[in-house]
Amino acid sequence: MFVQVVQGKVSDAERMHEQLDKWMRDLAPGATGWLGSTCGVTEDGTCVCFVRFDTPEHARQNSDRAEQGAWWDETSRLFTQGAEFLDSDQVTEDTPGDPERARFVQIIEGRTKDPARGMQLSTQDSDKWAEFRPDVLGSVGASFPDGRYAMELFFTNEAEAREGEKKQPPPELKAQMDEMDALAAEPPKFFDLKQPWMYSPR
């Protein structure tokens, strides 16, 4: 899988939503290899989009389409300070449930001292994590240069996610959390998408 994260402050969340709906309607049918996108705008006006393709080549082919360029020319004007792009083919996916049922999505971004170990930990004991946190329907993680990473977490809803955060994990899972915390090169940033816009080819 290949992931592109696009993010930045936007001037109009509803207009952004309309542009993404337009892409889904007009451009998605010709986007070979596109697997789905999760987008939304946080309460402080930050738009984050997690776009998934099967290969980097298909993602590049999509970017090179004339209609994609025209669409982005319109859409980019909504980003008040420009948009940041993060590309990765170092991707993990865990789907104990159906992410398309998610009513709350949280994007976590940070930097780790050991990307390989971080990716390993993020997919370890997925069955035990699913039992401990049934509110988590799935996740997609991506590693970028310099130890940077981004992960999208799909939750049943925000209320159940907040309750799940308060639960004390069993010792084995707590040890994994502690190791992940120790690997952090800087404090992670959290982007809460309380009204996520979910798009898929289906």
Side-chain angles (χ1 to χ4, degrees):
M1 189 188 296
F2 173 82
V3 161
Q4 182 173 77
V5 180
V6 185
Q7 59 190 20
K9 291 290 181 71
V10 293
S11 56
D12 188 331
E14 281 309 309
R15 180 78 178 114
M16 175 60 69
H17 196 182
E18 290 171 3
Q19 282 297 103
L20 292 166
D21 285 348
K22 179 180 179 180
W23 189 92
M24 183 66 190
R25 182 182 66 249
D26 299 340
L27 278 76
T32 302
W34 173 65
L35 301 176
S37 302
T38 308
C39 303
V41 176
T42 65
E43 290 181 341
D44 75 347
T46 301
C47 179
V48 185
C49 285
F50 233 90
V51 185
R52 302 178 296 279
F53 278 85
D54 58 355
T55 66
E57 291 74 22
H58 281 150
R60 279 194 291 271
Q61 288 174 19
N62 177 67
S63 295
D64 291 341
R65 292 192 295 162
E67 57 268 40
Q68 175 72 22
W71 175 86
W72 178 248
D73 184 56
E74 287 183 4
T75 306
S76 63
R77 298 170 193 170
L78 296 171
F79 288 88
T80 57
Q81 299 171 331
E84 179 183 23
F85 292 82
L86 299 170
D87 295 347
S88 176
D89 59 2
Q90 302 296 309
V91 179
T92 62
E93 183 179 28
D94 183 33
T95 52
D98 180 5
E100 292 189 20
R101 289 178 44 236
R103 294 296 174 264
F104 176 65
V105 174
Q106 189 173 71
I107 310 289
I108 305 173
E109 297 183 11
R111 200 179 302 275
T112 177
K113 302 170 188 173
D114 188 339
R117 180 57 177 159
M119 290 187 74
Q120 184 181 23
L121 285 169
S122 70
T123 57
Q124 193 169 304
D125 294 324
S126 59
D127 55 337
K128 294 177 182 176
W129 279 107
E131 183 179 355
F132 173 61
R133 291 291 302 272
D135 55 301
V136 180
L137 299 173
S139 66
V140 177
S143 293
F144 308 104
D146 300 323
R148 193 170 177 182
Y149 68 86
M151 176 173 283
E152 58 176 345
L153 291 166
F154 301 92
F155 296 92
T156 49
N157 57 62
E158 186 179 6
E160 291 178 359
R162 299 308 182 195
E163 283 301 311
E165 289 174 354
K166 299 174 185 176
K167 294 171 63 176
Q168 292 298 315
E172 185 176 2
L173 299 185
K174 186 178 186 305
Q176 289 181 30
M177 292 176 66
D178 290 345
E179 185 175 355
M180 285 288 282
D181 289 343
L183 290 176
E186 61 185 37
K189 298 177 181 177
F190 297 85
F191 301 89
D192 292 346
L193 307 183
K194 298 187 176 185
Q195 293 182 311
W197 308 324
M198 317 280 284
Y199 300 95
S200 77
R202 292 186 293 280

